[in-house]
Amino acid sequence: MALKNIAIVIMGASGDLARRKLIPALHALFLQGKIDTSSIVVGSGRTHFTDEQFRNRFGGTNSFQKQLYYHQYISGLKEFIASKGEFSKVVVFLSQPPAAYTPTARELLAEGFGAETSIVIEKPFGYDYRSAKALNSELEACFSESQIYRIDHYLAKEAVRNILVFRYANSIFYPVWNSRYIESIQINALETDTISHRGNYFDRAGIIRDMVQNHLLQLLCLLTMEAPVSLDAHDIRAQKLDILRTLRVDECHRFQYSGYRSETGVKEDSNTETFAELKLFVNNFRWTGIPIYIRSGKAMHRRGTEIGVRFKSLPKLLFNAKGELKENHIIFKIQPAEGIILDLSTKIPGSDDNLTDTHMNFCYKDTFSQSSPEAYQKLLYDVLKGDHTLFVSAKETECAWALFEDVLNRGELYSYSPGSRPPTKFDLNWIEFDNYSSLCL
Ligand code: BG6
């Protein structure tokens, strides 16, 4: 169904995010007929552009270009929008540095934007618990929580959206998804890129703020949350929040790649981690005692995000009399290839009872012909529809920050070489995620 009569405003429209993600996503939604021509896109910012100049920055089809307008500054924006038609909804995307969120929200309010308006923001939502709480209350002084959409683009990844489906649409997994059968859960998110030109931002953040506190914690919630009462955003977020409230960080090790301190924008004596590994526990009846490991880092030997669920070992009986059988694993491959792999022990054909490890693979590329929609297309479409499911609530962000209070920038900082495999200080048999990297490609 095509969405009608929406004014979509991009604040900071001359920036990189608008050019790389937002405008192309909106262009695609118009082309697919998901937004119809009764809706418009208005760029706004400090820079002066005519409509023509603004349109020329992006290319795209003529029909889409006709929907694009530009208005400098917030003052007069309301009137400008009204001069283009009648709109039942205004969606304002704050494609700006986080320090601008509160001032912009205040200005929008002063300009007369009210109940018809939604505000969309990107991480970071604060820098720690205190700043996140302050940001939330400043924004809520202008717009209510139901008008605010906090993007975590991991929630829009197709393979991430499949986690709840896998857990709750398959009767064979639901009964074993608990501490009785599962030994550990391991979340592995590696990138080959160094922090290169992002030194100014990254050096103040570090990998725990950049990846773990938001994206990877969201994965953890989806993997461990109880079944929501319904698929409504409110019910799903309530279950995620319950997990965040019962989580605790048990151990955290921080690492920095050698050469990091010479990157542009990085302090010479920087104590910022570029790789971290953490052990967490969810203290509820389903998960008590089961460790959940998260590790993530820059400048690693390969790029890949995977989740491994390791099941408990069999008793030392029968085929496992010598205790040599591998545990079963379920591997969720999130990126670059998408799929779910089940590890099994099977008999090698022949007269002997020799066993081997095999994989049962479900690969998106072999199963589905359509490609996954780009994350921003999905996210923008949901905001326009008013669906909060893939967005993070104020309480979730605050709880997620509170969790890391004791480990942010604390503890020893170990070193690793760029391009190396993930270092570890845990006495743990990490799942060999590299063994799955070529599957489903
Ligand atoms: C961003 C982080 O939120 O996510 C980046 O700021 C990181 O540092 C990126 O590289 C990873 O996203 P993706 O979708 O490439 O895994």
Side-chain angles (χ1 to χ4, degrees), residues 163-424:
I163 295 175
L164 282 190
V165 176
F166 178 86
R167 289 187 56 203
Y168 290 118
N170 294 295
S171 59
I172 55 171
F173 299 116
Y174 176 72
V176 298
W177 215 254
N178 55 52
S179 61
R180 184 154 178 210
Y181 297 99
I182 290 178
E183 186 248 4
S184 67
I185 296 179
Q186 305 184 13
I187 300 173
N188 184 54
L190 312 177
E191 292 179 85
T192 46
D193 290 349
T194 59
I195 53 101
S196 52
H197 62 284
R198 295 173 76 217
N200 279 328
Y201 152 75
F202 194 89
D203 202 40
R204 287 200 65 231
I207 205 78
I208 298 178
R209 286 191 175 87
D210 186 50
M211 288 290 293
V212 181
Q213 184 271 348
N214 37 71
H215 307 320
L216 304 182
L217 215 49
Q218 286 291 329
L219 299 189
L220 186 155
C221 288
L222 295 173
L223 288 159
T224 55
M225 64 184 251
E226 295 299 316
V229 175
S230 78
L231 292 175
D232 279 359
H234 174 79
D235 292 326
I236 293 181
R237 286 162 149 205
Q239 293 299 354
K240 286 197 286 169
L241 188 61
D242 272 358
I243 291 296
L244 293 169
R245 290 170 58 201
T246 52
L247 254 183
R248 104 185 132 72
V249 177
D250 185 64
E251 230 177 303
C252 169
H253 307 133
R254 303 185 312 120
F255 303 76
Q256 187 185 76
Y257 64 81
S258 44
Y260 170 75
R261 291 176 185 176
S262 336
E263 303 270 21
T264 320
V266 171
K267 287 208 229 82
E268 274 169 27
D269 58 349
S270 171
N271 174 39
T272 301
E273 79 285 343
T274 56
F275 175 90
E277 56 169 10
L278 300 96
K279 180 183 186 182
L280 302 102
F281 286 101
V282 176
N283 286 318
N284 67 12
F285 270 81
R286 181 186 291 272
W287 294 112
T288 184
I290 302 306
I292 302 175
Y293 297 94
I294 297 182
R295 68 178 177 192
S296 181
K298 304 281 184 189
M300 300 272 95
H301 69 306
R302 71 172 175 93
R303 171 171 180 261
T305 305
E306 297 98 13
I307 298 160
V309 176
R310 172 176 283 161
F311 286 83
K312 290 194 166 158
S313 313
L314 286 167
K316 288 190 180 166
L317 294 169
L318 303 179
F319 301 112
N320 195 36
K322 294 186 189 151
E324 286 174 349
L325 279 190
K326 287 246 180 76
E327 301 88 359
N328 294 123
H329 292 123
I330 293 175
I331 308 291
F332 295 86
K333 285 177 63 82
I334 307 294
Q335 61 186 24
E338 299 162 316
I340 300 177
I341 317 288
L342 175 60
D343 276 352
L344 300 169
S345 293
T346 47
K347 182 181 164 307
I348 302 173
S351 46
D352 297 329
D353 268 348
N354 290 334
L355 303 195
T356 187
D357 315 322
T358 49
H359 304 303
M360 251 164 68
N361 300 353
F362 147 59
C363 297
Y364 279 56
K365 77 160 186 17
D366 300 332
T367 311
F368 303 116
S369 52
Q370 66 273 43
S371 55
S372 308
E374 207 275 321
Y376 274 85
Q377 260 178 58
K378 170 72 188 148
L379 290 168
L380 286 177
Y381 188 56
D382 282 3
V383 177
L384 302 182
K385 278 193 310 182
D387 180 348
H388 272 94
T389 313
L390 300 183
F391 299 86
V392 184
S393 68
K395 279 265 171 303
E396 281 175 80
T397 60
E398 289 170 21
C399 265
W401 279 120
L403 190 64
F404 294 104
E405 269 316 71
D406 292 340
V407 297
L408 289 172
N409 304 104
R410 302 254 177 96
E412 197 161 338
L413 188 65
Y414 304 98
S415 171
Y416 65 100
S417 313
S420 65
R421 293 162 51 87
T424 187

